[in-house]
Amino acid sequence: MGSDLTNLTDKELEILKVSFLVQASEVLELLSEEILKFEKSPDDLDSLKNIQRYVHTLKGDSASMGFNTLSDISHRLEDILHMLREEKLSMDRGIGDLFFSFVDISAQILTNIKEGSANAVDTGGLIDRINKFISAKSEHKAESHEKKQEGYQHLTEYQQLQIETASKNSLSVYEIKIVFDRQCRERAVGAFMISNQLSALGEVVRWLPDIEEEGIEEADAIDAIFITKADKEIIAKNCRLAGISGKVDINPFSFKTPSGTHSAPMPASSERDKARGGKAASHHHDATLRVDAKKVDKIMDLVGELIIGRSMLTQSVLELKERLGKDEAISDLENINFLFERSLTELQNDVMTVRMVPIEHVLRKFPRVIRDMSIEKKKEVKLEMQGAETELDKGIVDVIGEPLIHILRNSIDHGIELPDEREKKGKERIGTIRINSYHEGNQIIIEIEDDGKGINIEKLRKKGVEAGIIKEEEAANMPEEEAIDLIFHSGLSTADEVTDTSGRGIGMDAVKRAVGDLKGLIQVRTIPDMGTKFIIRLPLTLAIIQGMVFKSGERFFAFPLSSILEIRRVLKDEISTINGIESLKWRERIISLIRLSEIIKHDIKENGLLRLARNYAADLLSPEQNKSFVLIIGLAEKRLGILVDKLIGKRELVIKAIDNGSSIASGASILGDGSIVLVLDVSSFIKRAIMPAAGAIHESVLH
Amino acid sequence: MEQETINIITKKDSSPYRFLLVDDSEFARKNIARIVSMIGGVVAGEASTGKEAIEKYQEIKPDVVLMDISMPEMEGVDAVGRIIQEDKKATIIMVSSLGHKDLVKKAISSGAKHFITKPVQVEYAVKIVRSVLEENEEKNKQ
Amino acid sequence: MNKNLQAVGFKIGKELFAVDISSVKEIVRVPEIVKVPDTPDFMEGVINLRGKIVSIIDLKKRFRLGKADRTKTSRILVAEMNEKVVGLLVDAASEVLKLPSDSIEPPPDMVSGIGINYITGVGKIGERIIILLDIRKVLNNGEWQQIAAKDLDKMAS
């Protein structure tokens, strides 16, 4: 690839650009993370090396794409990094801020590139600041080559002797740096071929990294000390192998490298780090393939159709068997079908794992948010993360990020107290936010917990009344669990004044909506002065869900398993009619019950679910039906019970969007016998239940 | 549009280079045949084992052999050795899957000129085939 | 100018309609239709078409010509509209018709209450008048798509 972009078609260039943008933003994220780490432990040399590597990668990649602004500022930042490495500078908040300005400006540049914006990003301020740091500290620039020399102390005595003897025998000693062609895979073989070529001309004293080692595949360049009679031009020619080597640099070797030839020691040493450390961030692309998410979705769709087809086949085989009894052809068919099932299940799992990404992609941004906000709010906060490697569907990761960040901001802004206040309460000055993610069945659970002051429920009640959301007597009687739910109501904030943070972006109501859209559930637990915990449950993937299938009337329905809190058997006696609505006592609260079979016969738009529920309740308490199943569904702190006629059970459902305007049934799936199951959307379902059109029925009946 | 076509490369007398494709997978051979045609070459023969490759080589004397590394009956590496033994000027380019680096190294030590890794990326493969042919051309001049 | 227009003819009530053959993928008998709650009344529901779920529109209701009776002759025209596959429930469907293009006239101002937008022309087969529909426009106005969204927005705020 190199800088040879002129031969590419527009399309190729565009593809390159996209992959550059993706990689560069990944590197920026990693960089942010590493800066935070380094800020915390400035003595961690590995951390600094990583930062150097990321910045170097950014510099190289942007330069080869011709994005000079970015490569220039990266280059300037490398100077600072170099000084840190040489201990001419020490890490402090000033430098931390400088690093983050770099990250921000780079991100801005990437955005502009992405959007094709012609606006130049002003990097002048950043460069001035970098210059200030450098001019303040750089008296001894001449010493900067010491490092290089140190590098050569790795030569064994024998190697040093080889070089010395060669010089005496008037042979030339060169240092050759060969950058690999980006597309070269099997670099070990490539290096082997170069080494063969060189061996014909002289003797390689040592290779860095060792071309026999595994790490060679990760290296983007190799470095040789070479003794030869041949002249530079011939060496260069022999080092240039199509598809293997890119840029070749040949310089006379000397133990004390004269200035000029090695004026950029940093790349060389970072190359060494790579070889030693093994993993190089910039080489992820060698083993991974970037695929348009739409393509994966398409495959997922097809797999879904195959699965449906196969389950229909099973059904037919069963029917055939019933009709024809034992028959060889049928048992063959059964076996084939069984094989199908196995490969299909495997295929489905594989395709699903392609879509799975660690939640870390979202969590990466958190340390930065905490850093910035704790400075802004003058609070001290530390972050503890667990289970960042937990994987979930990319589609969900893309959507859940912002809501999580909002909760995090909320926790710092409203949860964690000021250090002095914490001290007075006998707490540590530093507040802790703990994020824990883990799988539970087919769900992922994300918990965000702070050890702050907790949510003041009394205040919430008051606010709720003031805002006209609830009446005073309701507020007084409302159980705590329910009152907490008020935080998800738009326009309610427990902070005494609306702060910059809580006023920005989305509110808690939007958080609830986003979680609901993902067919998930959000819950809050709070204890005064101990802290608040948000628990978010999400399905692992959106394309295939675990659903609870049931029959109501003659129709099949399903709710996502993740939104069902409990499935209960109820006796007729347990159901009482309150306000004309069938209700059930459940965990110390009264919940309204709904029968789908009745409701879907009518136009819920005009009537509202609950009014319908009231109208039909009386007829439905038929004497012969004295027990039934109830699914308790929930969204945030709202609960609703669904009375079902027949419980079919848990099924994996391949969801097909049905785009015909229904808000409560956003998707459907096909069962093995070909029947259609309507998959109900809990959040809109509950919204429908409480819709104002229900008129006489006030929201409060929906406990 | 012009940029998308890859320049055709021919012998001095402007006749096309003749290729022998050796791979036990027909699909892989088809794929490689595409690359051959992109640089204006012709597929003079195909073989699916190392043994067959040696026989075919004798028979058709191709300009270039594109040889898979692992095949039934006789491994590509051994075939390389045998072909080179017979014809020191044979131009063989290995086509290998990732992870066979020791075999590829062996093939190169036996005289193969270069290697391409599977899955074959067209532009990359063309680049390599072209460079090998150009080098041959240069050597012939000298 | 004696080109023939190939069209699929169908009946809604007593009226004869036709749509360009390229917009119809297939014609199927009416399988079980599952009503989806909370949709506009002309959305009949969904069917399982060989593993694909296809939404069904009752064209008679859509054109406010009454309600389709399910009879032996009822059919579903499976059409691809705006990259979506949709089924149109009609009272009967015919073979492919060949309409000489010179027999097609621009639509009159008003045809049986059907929005003028959907009509591309009026043709004649013998004595019978046949109304040519632009199937894409039947849904293009997309009112039904917006209904639900609007309602929900109202509630969410």
Side-chain angles (χ1 to χ4, degrees), chain A residues 181 185-186 188 192-193 242-243, chain B residues 99 101 109 114 117 119 124 127 131:
Chain A
D181 184 314
R185 292 174 296 162
E186 298 283 35
F192 172 77
M193 285 171 70
Chain B
K101 56 169 172 282
S109 301
H114 214 310
T117 33
Y124 185 71
K127 178 154 94 183
S131 86

Side-chain angles (χ1 to χ4, degrees), chain A residues 179-399:
Chain A
V179 179
F180 279 117
D181 184 314
R182 279 221 174 194
Q183 282 180 292
C184 177
R185 292 174 296 162
E186 298 283 35
R187 296 191 170 181
V189 183
F192 172 77
M193 285 171 70
I194 294 173
S195 167
N196 278 353
Q197 298 270 29
L198 284 178
S199 301
L201 297 175
E203 190 184 4
V204 177
V205 176
R206 69 105 180 84
W207 281 108
L208 239 179
D210 189 335
I211 61 172
E212 299 286 337
E213 293 281 345
E214 231 16 82
I216 181 85
E217 295 299 341
E218 312 282 340
D220 46 19
I222 43 176
D223 198 297
I225 296 175
F226 186 48
I227 301 173
T228 186
K229 272 192 225 168
D231 64 24
K232 259 170 91 168
E233 224 167 281
I234 294 189
I235 302 171
K237 202 166 162 250
N238 277 275
C239 290
R240 271 189 211 110
L241 289 180
I244 292 172
S245 44
K247 196 167 168 267
V248 176
D249 251 328
I250 303 172
N251 291 301
F253 175 83
S254 92
F255 285 102
K256 286 204 168 78
T257 311
S259 58
T261 28
H262 293 284
S263 56
M266 206 48 66
S269 59
S270 80
E271 234 75 68
R272 262 159 233 163
D273 296 343
K274 266 183 208 173
R276 269 183 239 135
K279 278 181 205 152
S282 59
H283 284 285
H284 285 319
H285 60 276
D286 283 343
T288 55
L289 192 63
R290 289 186 195 285
V291 182
D292 186 352
K294 272 189 209 138
K295 279 189 193 163
V296 180
D297 288 346
K298 178 89 204 289
I299 296 173
M300 196 70 195
D301 265 5
L302 288 173
V303 171
E305 263 164 46
L306 280 174
I307 288 170
I308 290 166
R310 198 213 52 86
S311 62
M312 285 159 85
L313 186 61
T314 309
Q315 197 76 22
S316 305
V317 172
L318 282 176
E319 272 168 33
L320 266 181
K321 214 167 148 189
E322 251 168 49
R323 242 179 268 172
L324 302 174
K326 238 181 148 84
D327 185 289
E328 211 174 299
I330 292 180
S331 60
D332 280 354
L333 197 57
E334 259 183 315
N335 285 336
I336 296 167
N337 189 36
F338 177 70
L339 281 177
F340 256 3
E341 177 176 7
R342 258 207 339 224
S343 340
L344 265 179
T345 311
E346 214 172 294
L347 179 63
Q348 178 191 342
N349 287 338
D350 285 356
V351 177
M352 265 168 77
T353 51
V354 170
R355 287 189 56 101
M356 295 299 236
V357 290
I359 190 162
E360 195 197 345
H361 283 261
V362 174
L363 301 184
R364 257 184 214 163
K365 297 191 181 85
F366 283 27
R368 175 80 195 274
V369 172
I370 290 197
R371 176 191 188 271
D372 288 356
M373 261 202 79
S374 48
I375 293 173
E376 185 189 326
K377 301 288 167 201
K378 300 187 175 57
K379 291 176 180 176
E380 290 173 35
V381 187
K382 70 168 188 274
L383 178 67
E384 285 177 12
M385 273 202 260
Q386 234 182 340
E389 71 287 351
T390 314
E391 290 192 325
L392 74 167
D393 194 281
K394 171 128 197 341
I396 297 176
V397 166
D398 291 345
V399 179

Side-chain angles (χ1 to χ4, degrees), chain B residues 38-104:
Chain B
M38 281 177 81
I39 54 173
V42 293
V43 176
E46 292 188 24
S48 54
T49 68
K51 217 173 127 203
E52 222 180 293
I54 295 165
E55 291 160 14
K56 272 271 158 65
Y57 189 87
Q58 313 279 21
E59 186 191 322
I60 58 174
K61 299 276 177 204
D63 299 306
V64 185
V65 184
L66 293 173
M67 171 112 56
D68 187 18
I69 201 104
S70 63
M71 281 176 299
E73 275 198 71
M74 186 190 281
E75 292 280 359
V77 184
D78 300 325
V80 171
R82 295 276 295 277
I83 292 174
I84 298 274
Q85 223 176 354
E86 300 286 330
D87 178 2
K88 287 207 172 56
K89 282 189 163 177
T91 304
I92 307 175
I93 298 172
M94 304 310 289
V95 182
S96 80
S97 312
L98 278 182
H100 284 147
K101 56 169 172 282
D102 289 331
L103 281 176
V104 183

Side-chain angles (χ1 to χ4, degrees), chain A residues 525-539:
Chain A
R525 304 271 172 272
T526 188
I527 303 173
D529 280 337
M530 295 287 282
T532 305
K533 183 180 192 175
F534 288 86
I535 306 156
I536 296 173
R537 293 166 179 274
L538 295 170

Side-chain angles (χ1 to χ4, degrees), chain A residues 415-430:
Chain A
I416 306 277
E417 310 91 334
L418 290 164
D420 289 347
E421 202 182 327
R422 289 179 65 89
E423 208 163 15
K424 258 183 243 159
K425 288 181 182 173
K427 293 182 180 180
E428 264 184 72
R429 287 181 66 88
I430 302 177

